[in-house]
Amino acid sequence: GDLDVICTALNFPDHRRLVTEEFVKVENIILASAEHDLAGSSAVKVSELATYPWIFFSDDAMGYQRVAGFFAANNVSPPVAAIECNALDAIFKLLKSGPYLASVPSVVLPDARRAGLDRLETEGAFWSVAIGIAYLRSANPPEPLTALGLALRRHFEVAVNV
């Protein structure tokens, strides 16, 4: 019944019983169809983004709160989800089919571009999150935990340098 390790976004408060190891900072971007009205603009105004329907990942309260925070920081009411979906390929098809916008991790941009989508450049930074592992503090962490941390660190170092 105990959770020994979790690989997750590290956007929770520090706790004396937990050890966290950050591996990568993932930037989120706004995607739209390459034919979208806002595509190709050098700096889309936040107020313009709010006028289009948005697709959000289902049950992603953190992601929605980050998007809402971006809008609030720019004194604009955040968008309401027009569609919620968890399948990235379905989100890509929906974006291609209409005037939708979506917030996705930047690591999917090459696949998105192959699907006829592109990143919208916005005024100011959008949002990013640190990804890593968290586990209970121990004087002698178990060898599998140490091995997992090393393997993930190597994976993210290679992925970032590609």
Side-chain angles (χ1 to χ4, degrees):
D2 292 334
L3 180 63
D4 295 317
V5 63
I6 186 169
C7 185
T8 187
L10 299 176
N11 62 334
F12 49 85
D14 288 339
H15 191 281
R16 61 182 167 74
R17 292 191 56 214
L18 287 179
V19 174
T20 59
E21 294 182 39
E22 180 180 327
F23 298 128
V24 67
K25 193 163 289 273
V26 175
E27 178 189 12
N28 269 52
I29 60 173
I30 300 172
L31 275 186
S33 169
E35 290 86 36
H36 194 283
D37 292 344
L38 300 177
S41 192
S42 60
V44 178
K45 294 182 184 308
V46 178
S47 58
E48 290 178 284
L49 296 170
T51 65
Y52 289 90
W54 279 70
I55 302 168
F56 287 98
F57 287 102
S58 302
D59 301 317
D60 184 14
M62 181 200 68
Y64 180 78
Q65 288 303 320
R66 293 288 182 120
V67 172
F70 170 75
F71 280 85
N74 287 280
N75 297 314
V76 176
S77 294
V80 176
I83 299 173
E84 289 188 4
C85 181
N86 273 338
L88 192 57
D89 61 334
I91 291 173
F92 284 3
K93 287 177 184 172
L94 288 163
L95 287 168
K96 188 75 175 145
S97 74
Y100 301 106
L101 303 176
S103 168
V104 299
S106 60
V107 296
V108 306
L109 189 55
D111 293 329
R113 286 188 169 140
R114 282 190 289 278
L117 307 173
D118 209 353
R119 174 185 191 156
L120 294 183
E121 298 297 333
T122 62
E123 297 176 319
F126 192 47
W127 68 275
S128 62
V129 65
I131 302 293
I133 59 174
Y135 51 90
L136 292 175
R137 187 173 304 281
S138 168
N140 297 309
E143 179 56 35
L145 177 62
T146 305
L148 174 65
L150 182 60
L152 287 170
R153 187 170 310 289
R154 286 182 181 152
H155 169 78
F156 284 114
E157 285 172 357
V158 169
V160 168
N161 292 322
V162 170

